[in-house]
Amino acid sequence: MAVLELHGLRKEFAGQTILHGLDLRLDDGEMLVIVGASGCGKSTLLRLIAGLELPSGGQIMLDGAQITERDPAARDIAMVFQNYALYPHMSVFQNMAYGLKLRHQSKEEINRRVTEAAELLGITPLLARKPRELSGGQRQRVAMGRAIVREPKLFLFDEPLSNLDARLRVQMRGEIRRLQQRLGITSLYVTHDQVEAMTMADRLIVMHQGVAAQIATPMEVFARPANIYVAGFIGAPSMNFCTGRLVGAGDEAALGFGAQVRLPGRFISASGNVTIGVRPEHLMLDPAGSPMTIDLIEPLGSECLVHGKLADDTAITMRLPGDRPAHDHLTISLPPSHLHVFDTESGVRLEAIS
């Protein structure tokens, strides 16, 4: 059983607040992925949990025990770093065994754990090699093996795939996820790559300026983003946004580029100003729709991304089949069932009241 709880966790540095009172519960065996832009506080959060930094306020609980001020070595937490942090003068076996030797484990127990972890990760033939003789993916497996042999309560991953090439990243993220599920490891994983986050997480934390902008399953974050920031951050290409005002009974919006769209329900906003979001794949070609002037077409094989502007210079991106004919303009419409409605002033998602 390994349950992590954070209560009002804060971090201030040089008069600047890095984390604003985060509350969180990570359940046993869960993979929670923290995603956000650089400087949002995600790596700081990981370092606080690992004990590499002390919080300015709040509590860190692991299995009901407070570990807020414990030394890193006494927290029963293993961390996999971005740069692998392998000892260059040691063999793979020695790197994986080093932490166990420091804990005065018997030689037999060390051999057993290292052998089992090496077999699990497929690196048994590499045990006698030095890190300089390994590829990036092999080094990452060794770093994971070093964490696994400790049999900790909690695993922390700090952007472990960021130094790998694109193809190897895809392979390794699948391997890490399968390994985590197979071993039932309670894990907290930090990344700036939203694809990595979406494909690996049981739940996501989208961080923004030291605040958890949304904590939910990947599909919930994608389908029902809590605010404009989350909506624009999750999804590739990102969501399109158009400004407008609620009209009529609040079930329609007059948009800045001249169109009036029906909304998926009736909405109320204090100012009446709303921001309408729609993902590129949900825009529709419509002969009676609004004109879109095309600036750029990105062919991707089976599909293409069309970038352009609407009448009020609102930037817009549309995803279309790859064989579409090239034109200077298109006419498009926004389907009501796929529209997201946000309050322009607060940025918060609005829910239909009927």
Side-chain angles (χ1 to χ4, degrees):
M1 184 70 173
V3 176
L4 175 72
E5 295 174 276
L6 308 179
H7 302 288
L9 196 65
R10 292 188 299 107
K11 179 63 177 178
E12 297 173 1
F13 181 75
Q16 181 180 1
T17 302
I18 310 300
L19 279 179
H20 298 262
L22 181 64
D23 294 305
L24 175 69
R25 178 186 169 93
L26 175 60
D27 289 325
D28 183 46
E30 185 179 19
M31 170 73 94
L32 189 65
V33 177
I34 310 170
V35 66
S38 297
C40 69
K42 57 185 185 297
S43 290
T44 298
L45 173 57
L46 214 64
R47 292 176 64 83
L48 291 175
I49 295 170
L52 302 178
E53 295 184 24
L54 290 177
S56 304
Q59 294 183 335
I60 305 170
M61 311 286 291
L62 186 61
D63 279 352
Q66 186 174 168
I67 62 170
T68 312
E69 297 183 1
R70 281 189 194 174
D71 289 336
R75 296 193 178 206
D76 204 7
I77 293 173
M79 192 164 181
V80 179
F81 294 93
Q82 175 180 346
N83 60 0
Y84 319 130
L86 301 178
Y87 296 107
H89 62 287
M90 292 184 181
S91 68
V92 168
F93 183 96
Q94 290 168 333
N95 265 283
M96 293 174 64
Y98 186 65
L100 299 178
K101 288 183 178 180
L102 292 180
R103 296 186 173 196
H104 306 292
Q105 296 285 342
S106 68
K107 185 175 180 179
E108 292 75 16
E109 180 66 9
I110 291 173
N111 286 334
R112 180 188 69 80
R113 292 195 192 184
V114 172
T115 299
E116 289 180 357
E119 290 177 356
L120 184 66
L121 294 164
I123 56 174
T124 301
L126 309 178
L127 289 176
R129 295 188 188 180
K130 299 289 179 61
R132 65 176 179 272
E133 301 174 276
L134 306 178
S135 68
Q138 290 169 335
R139 292 179 190 178
Q140 190 55 265
R141 289 186 181 91
V142 175
M144 290 173 58
R146 182 179 54 191
I148 288 171
V149 297
R150 290 179 51 192
E151 299 179 357
K153 290 184 176 180
L154 177 67
F155 273 59
L156 305 178
F157 294 89
D158 188 11
E159 303 203 40
L161 307 182
S162 60
N163 289 335
L164 304 180
D165 62 57
R167 182 177 179 181
L168 191 53
R169 284 184 73 145
V170 173
Q171 177 187 341
M172 285 300 300
R173 77 184 185 214
E175 290 186 13
I176 290 175
R177 183 59 167 143
R178 283 191 291 270
L179 182 67
Q180 185 269 334
Q181 291 177 326
R182 178 177 174 183
L183 298 179
I185 303 168
T186 307
S187 303
L188 200 60
Y189 188 108
V190 162
T191 181
H192 66 275
D193 186 326
Q194 60 163 296
V195 175
E196 205 168 287
M198 290 288 291
T199 55
M200 297 184 70
D202 291 315
R203 283 190 300 154
L204 283 180
I205 307 178
V206 183
M207 294 291 295
H208 180 50
Q209 297 180 347
V211 174
Q214 188 168 4
I215 304 176
T217 66
M219 286 312 300
E220 185 177 352
V221 170
F222 183 81
R224 298 179 59 80
N227 52 51
I228 291 176
Y229 175 79
V230 175
F233 187 82
I234 297 295
S238 61
M239 185 179 287
N240 297 296
F241 296 107
C242 308
T243 58
R245 284 190 60 81
L246 294 174
V247 295
D251 56 354
E252 293 187 351
L255 302 182
F257 58 89
Q260 185 162 315
V261 296
R262 185 164 54 87
L263 301 177
R266 190 163 69 88
F267 296 83
I268 294 177
S269 169
S271 67
N273 297 322
V274 292
T275 298
I276 305 301
V278 59
R279 297 202 179 276
E281 56 269 26
H282 294 149
L283 287 169
M284 296 176 59
L285 293 174
D286 182 355
S290 302
M292 169 186 173
T293 302
I294 296 175
D295 295 330
L296 174 68
I297 298 176
E298 293 183 285
L300 301 175
S302 62
E303 62 182 20
C304 66
L305 300 178
V306 181
H307 305 274
K309 290 184 173 62
L310 299 175
D312 63 344
D313 283 337
T314 296
I316 203 91
T317 298
M318 188 172 189
R319 192 189 300 270
L320 291 174
D323 59 353
R324 66 160 299 279
H327 295 295
D328 294 331
H329 68 277
L330 298 171
T331 51
I332 64 171
S333 62
L334 285 62
S337 60
H338 290 293
L339 298 184
H340 304 261
V341 185
F342 304 94
D343 180 82
T344 299
E345 275 66 38
S346 67
V348 172
R349 179 185 187 87
L350 296 177
E351 299 294 345
I353 60 175
S354 61

